[in-house]
């Protein structure tokens, strides 16, 4: 059975002390495993320049993906690397606290995070 590629769209809201803008973006990563950590390799990444904005990843052919985000407090992130140590981060979680998977073309995916969890 061939899996049809779809779109993963996630709206991201940052409720920390910084302002999301063109220089201080929210970065969004998709992973094909729930084991998300500093050594994990994302399958896709995008950044958002407005708080509450959405990242739309097209052509995602994984059956399920896991979502992690970070706020670029220092305005130094350019992708292709983990967030700097101390960056505010978030992972889309289910009600039991485990990473929640999302299927391509699933509606209503949103992630809200703040400064309470930071990159080691």
């Amino acid at each position: 059975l061939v899996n049809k590629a779809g779109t993963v769209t996630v709206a991201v809201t940052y409720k920390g002390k910084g302002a999301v803008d063109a220089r201080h973006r929210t970065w969004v990563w998709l992973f094909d495993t729930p084991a998300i950590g500093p050594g994990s390799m994302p399958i896709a990444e995008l950044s958002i320049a407005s708080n509450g904005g959405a990242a739309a990843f097209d052509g995602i052919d994984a059956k399920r993906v896991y979502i992690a985000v970070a706020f670029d407090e220092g305005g130094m992130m350019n992708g292709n690397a983990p967030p700097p140590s101390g960056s505010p981060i978030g992972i889309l979680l289910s009600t039991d606290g485990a990473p929640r998977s999302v299927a391509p073309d699933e509606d209503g995916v949103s992630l809200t995070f703040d400064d309470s969890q930071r990159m080691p």
Side-chain angles (χ1 to χ4, degrees):
L1 185 68
V2 175
N3 201 29
K4 177 180 80 64
T7 301
V8 174
T9 303
V10 57
V12 181
T13 302
Y14 171 65
K15 291 193 170 188
K17 63 183 181 210
V20 178
D21 57 31
R23 187 158 170 255
H24 302 90
R25 296 175 165 272
T26 300
W27 287 82
V28 186
W29 293 273
L30 300 184
F31 294 87
D32 59 4
T33 173
I36 299 170
S40 303
M41 288 301 298
I43 61 170
E45 82 174 358
L46 289 172
S47 65
I48 305 169
S50 62
N51 207 1
F57 297 88
D58 293 320
I60 301 300
D61 62 3
K63 286 185 181 183
R64 310 285 301 175
V65 296
Y66 300 85
I67 301 167
V69 296
F71 174 63
D72 184 6
E73 276 183 315
M76 303 298 285
M77 292 172 62
N78 59 5
N80 300 320
S85 180
S87 298
I89 58 172
I91 295 174
L92 183 66
L93 300 175
S94 59
T95 53
D96 67 1
R100 179 184 150 220
S101 66
V102 172
D105 299 324
E106 185 174 319
D107 289 335
V109 179
S110 63
L111 193 160
T112 298
F113 73 113
D114 58 25
D115 296 335
S116 61
Q117 186 177 4
R118 292 189 175 259
M119 191 72 177

